[in-house]
Every structure is written in structure tokens, then in C-alpha cells.
Amino acid sequence: QVQLVESGGDSVQAGGSLRLSCAASGYTSSALCMGWYRQAPGKEREMVANIDTDGGTTYADSVKGRFTLSQDNVKSTLYLQMNSLKPEDTAVYYCAAEIAYGGSWYCRRSSFEYNHWGQGTQVTVSA
């Protein structure tokens, strides 16, 4: 069973930076499809960024150029570096993971879904 624990959420002013961490246990992160989602009050959960087992990344258009994924497979930890934060980035950020059965292609399937989620960490950006 994959377990995920997020940390790093905080309150910052617009233009500031934060780094979120997601520690995975029960499975090595190098064999996991992983990603970050967020949910703002009154809105649906949306994808922020994903990484496959080959290190390939995808980002939502709203965060491209500002957010960067990185991964430490020794620590089984996924990071989301968030720069130039905007008030519209305010949300609960969730880490997600799924076992990449057979390799990175599994993470890129059109029918791909995450089945393991963390509890979330709050990010608040004030104007």
C-alpha cells in the first residue's frame, strides 16, 4: 500500500515561493507515477503537475514557467517548487501516486488515474 505525506504548505505574499514535499512509503518513488493536484474553495480538484518513472513531466498551463517538479528517489520524495506565486494559486495541494505497472508508459495512458492520495497541505497566497 502506497502512503503519501505532504508538507511545506504555508501562507505567503504574492510573488513569493514555496516548496512542497511529498514523502512516499510502501513503494519506491522510482516505480510510481506521481503528481500534484490542488483544490481551491468552491472549485473542483485540478491537475497541477505530473511526473512519470522516466522523469517526464507535464504541467498545467496556469503554472508553466513558475512551478517545477523534482524527485529524490533515494528519499522517495517528490517536490513541487512554486515560484512567483499568485493569489489564484491558493488551494489545498494534494500529492497523488499510482504504481507504474510495466513502466513510464503506464503513467501516460489516456485512461490513467491515481489511486493513492495524501491528506493535502494548504497554500495561501495573499495579494
Side-chain angles (χ1 to χ4, degrees):
Q1 181 73 8
V2 179
Q3 294 184 321
L4 305 171
V5 178
E6 303 102 329
S7 62
D10 206 344
S11 296
V12 297
Q13 290 190 329
S17 298
L18 283 174
R19 189 177 79 158
L20 303 184
S21 299
C22 172
S25 60
Y27 226 87
T28 178
S29 60
S30 61
L32 295 172
C33 317
M34 298 189 75
W36 288 95
Y37 279 64
R38 67 186 181 187
Q39 187 166 20
K43 295 187 177 181
E44 293 189 354
R45 188 178 295 188
E46 63 175 358
M47 187 276 288
V48 175
N50 298 299
I51 187 167
D52 64 32
T53 55
D54 287 338
T57 55
T58 57
Y59 296 91
D61 288 343
S62 59
V63 307
K64 281 181 182 177
R66 299 189 299 122
F67 290 11
T68 304
L69 279 174
S70 61
Q71 198 169 29
D72 183 335
N73 289 325
V74 174
K75 296 181 179 179
S76 286
T77 300
L78 178 69
Y79 302 100
L80 182 67
Q81 178 66 43
M82 305 187 296
N83 298 328
S84 301
L85 282 161
K86 304 175 181 180
E88 51 264 44
D89 294 319
T90 295
V92 178
Y93 283 71
Y94 296 92
C95 180
E98 181 55 40
I99 299 168
Y101 298 102
S104 61
W105 68 270
Y106 191 87
C107 311
R108 298 190 294 269
R109 295 177 307 136
S110 59
S111 59
F112 176 79
E113 291 184 351
Y114 288 109
N115 288 307
H116 305 279
W117 295 85
Q119 293 300 306
T121 186
Q122 177 70 48
V123 172
T124 302
V125 185
S126 57

